[in-house]
Amino acid sequence: MSDVNALVSNVAVSSRVRLARNINGYTFPVKAGAERLAEIIKPVYNELSKIGNFKLYLMKDKNSVEAHALKEEHLISADLIQNTTSGAAIISDDKTISVMVNEEDHIREQCLLRGFNLMAAYNNIDRIDDILSKKLSFAFDKELGYLTSCPTNVGAGMRASVMLFLPAITMNNSINAIINAVGKMGMTIRGVYGEGSDAEGYMYQVSNQVSLGLSEFDIIKNVEGTVLKICEAEQNARKQMLENDPYGVKDMVYRAYGILTSCIKINSAEFMKLIAYIKLGAALGLLRINDEHVLDELINKMQPANITLAAGRNLSANERDIYRADCCAKLLGELVDKKSIKR
């Protein structure tokens, strides 16, 4: 286990298991009427409220900033934001559990945990699924498994994914070869917000492509095995990078720290690039970070919608850039041990 921990350390950022479910007697959301779908929200929320502290978010009641802030925290999807008639999210206080109602499927349950914890994420969401299945009649076929809107989810109806920080294999241009190899193994690598999104800050989601004919444990085992191979490639590439150009790497990291702690304003794209260099510097031992989890949380907090919420008022793009720079300077000043910075 210690070898696995060393392999995934500073590479595996978070683990997520998502289950897609639909309810017998209801047409899939893409075809159903809004009033009919809205009936699903209450029983789901009532059941979850019995087992913990959950908050209900109705998309029709959320403005664009509030909705996008939830997306930036990986709690809801862009598709759910678009459903302002019957879309809803039911989210636990600690934000590890999020249940979307009337997105692509009637119900999408997810558990999101820090680090490399797919099995723990599955156990948590499986408990939620058991509770909901006792109240709701899920669409299930004895031969096919769970019936879903997208054919790739039919079967176990499960998507297991791990968010990976892959700067080294991106910089050495081996990422495309890895993406192609992973695809042949029934896996996929996507950007930070899933399908169609970019790998901002060198963040990639690795997940299974299909679930038909596979058990939940098969899926987890396959994803874990793929993730470990990618982590090994990234760790080796980091070592090679540092050996080939130690001064260049150190300059890149320290320049990033200097800019982020002294700039007057910074846009989201530049922030994501520079904060990635800070994360890489910490992984390589060039910077000592007091709490790496706080650094990952900072990335979410510095996204446009979350900045606007924190400010408590609408901000122009220029005002957001100024706010972001000020927050970065303060938080990085607290997170980074300045004694660890050595020329």
Side-chain angles (χ1 to χ4, degrees):
M1 182 60 70
S2 60
D3 291 340
V4 170
N5 289 337
L7 203 59
V8 303
S9 177
N10 302 305
V11 180
V13 177
S14 62
S15 300
R16 182 183 70 175
V17 173
R18 189 201 68 204
L19 302 177
R21 301 289 187 257
N22 287 284
I23 302 174
N24 284 318
Y26 288 83
T27 306
F28 286 154
V30 70
K31 294 288 186 179
E35 290 186 9
R36 176 83 165 133
L37 289 177
E39 298 173 0
I40 300 172
I41 299 172
K42 186 175 180 180
V44 175
Y45 177 61
N46 286 346
E47 291 306 303
L48 293 177
S49 297
K50 294 175 183 177
I51 61 168
N53 295 320
F54 286 84
K55 185 174 181 181
L56 174 63
Y57 299 81
L58 298 175
M59 292 301 104
K60 66 179 182 179
D61 295 338
K62 296 297 170 186
N63 59 41
S64 178
V65 171
E66 293 170 329
H68 278 86
L70 293 173
K71 174 180 173 288
E72 290 170 355
E73 294 183 85
H74 306 281
L75 296 171
I76 67 172
S77 67
D79 287 342
L80 186 70
I81 293 175
Q82 300 303 314
N83 186 357
T84 55
T85 54
S86 61
I90 304 162
I91 302 172
S92 63
D93 279 357
D94 63 4
K95 297 184 177 180
T96 61
I97 302 292
S98 174
V99 178
M100 292 188 292
V101 182
N102 297 325
E103 192 234 28
E104 184 178 276
D105 294 288
H106 295 140
I107 299 173
R108 285 202 166 185
E109 317 157 24
Q110 77 162 35
C111 178
L112 180 65
L113 299 177
R114 291 173 175 173
F116 188 50
N117 285 301
L118 275 181
M119 199 64 227
Y122 170 71
N123 288 334
N124 289 347
I125 205 61
D126 185 50
R127 173 172 168 262
I128 297 295
D129 192 56
D130 285 345
I131 290 168
L132 293 179
S133 67
K134 291 176 181 178
K135 179 68 175 181
L136 305 167
S137 175
F138 289 150
F140 185 85
D141 182 89
K142 290 182 179 180
E143 294 185 3
L144 296 176
Y146 290 101
L147 304 179
T148 58
S149 294
C150 180
T152 61
N153 289 322
V154 171
M158 184 171 116
R159 184 65 60 91
S161 64
V162 180
M163 185 79 76
L164 299 180
F165 176 55
L166 305 175
I169 60 176
T170 303
M171 292 179 192
N172 71 9
N173 297 315
S174 62
I175 186 66
N176 288 332
I178 289 175
I179 290 174
N180 291 333
V182 164
K184 294 176 182 178
M185 299 164 61
M187 301 288 146
T188 184
I189 299 181
R190 293 170 172 164
V192 67
Y193 293 113
E195 187 173 2
S197 64
D198 296 325
E200 300 174 4
Y202 305 109
M203 296 284 195
Y204 299 83
Q205 284 189 50
V206 179
S207 66
N208 60 300
Q209 281 188 306
V210 296
S211 64
L212 183 62
L214 297 171
S215 72
E216 292 84 353
F217 299 106
D218 288 335
I219 293 171
I220 290 174
K221 182 180 178 181
N222 292 342
V223 174
E224 286 181 338
T226 302
V227 165
L228 289 176
K229 291 178 181 178
I230 296 173
C231 287
E232 183 176 14
E234 173 65 21
Q235 296 287 15
N236 290 335
R238 291 179 185 182
K239 292 178 183 177
Q240 195 68 46
M241 173 190 292
L242 195 57
E243 289 174 2
N244 291 344
D245 188 12
Y247 289 105
V249 174
K250 183 179 286 190
D251 182 69
M252 177 181 70
V253 172
Y254 289 174
R255 279 179 184 272
Y257 177 77
I259 293 171
L260 287 175
T261 54
S262 62
C263 64
I264 301 302
K265 65 177 186 176
I266 188 167
N267 63 37
S268 183
E270 186 180 10
F271 163 77
M272 288 298 292
K273 181 179 73 172
L274 296 180
I275 202 69
Y277 295 160
I278 298 294
K279 280 175 61 67
L280 179 59
L284 294 174
L286 300 176
L287 291 173
R288 189 159 54 245
I289 304 292
N290 295 325
D291 189 336
E292 291 184 27
H293 293 309
V294 176
L295 188 62
D296 289 328
E297 290 171 0
L298 174 63
I299 294 175
N300 290 338
K301 290 178 181 178
M302 292 300 98
Q303 300 308 311
N306 272 281
I307 283 179
T308 301
L309 284 184
R313 61 185 179 87
N314 289 328
L315 301 175
S316 66
N318 189 59
E319 288 174 324
R320 283 199 305 269
D321 293 348
I322 294 171
Y323 189 97
R324 184 181 292 111
D326 184 55
C327 286
C328 281
K330 292 177 181 177
L331 291 175
L332 282 180
E334 297 172 357
L335 284 175
V336 177
D337 182 355
K338 296 179 180 60
K339 294 180 181 179
S340 66
I341 301 175
K342 300 176 182 179
R343 296 181 62 84

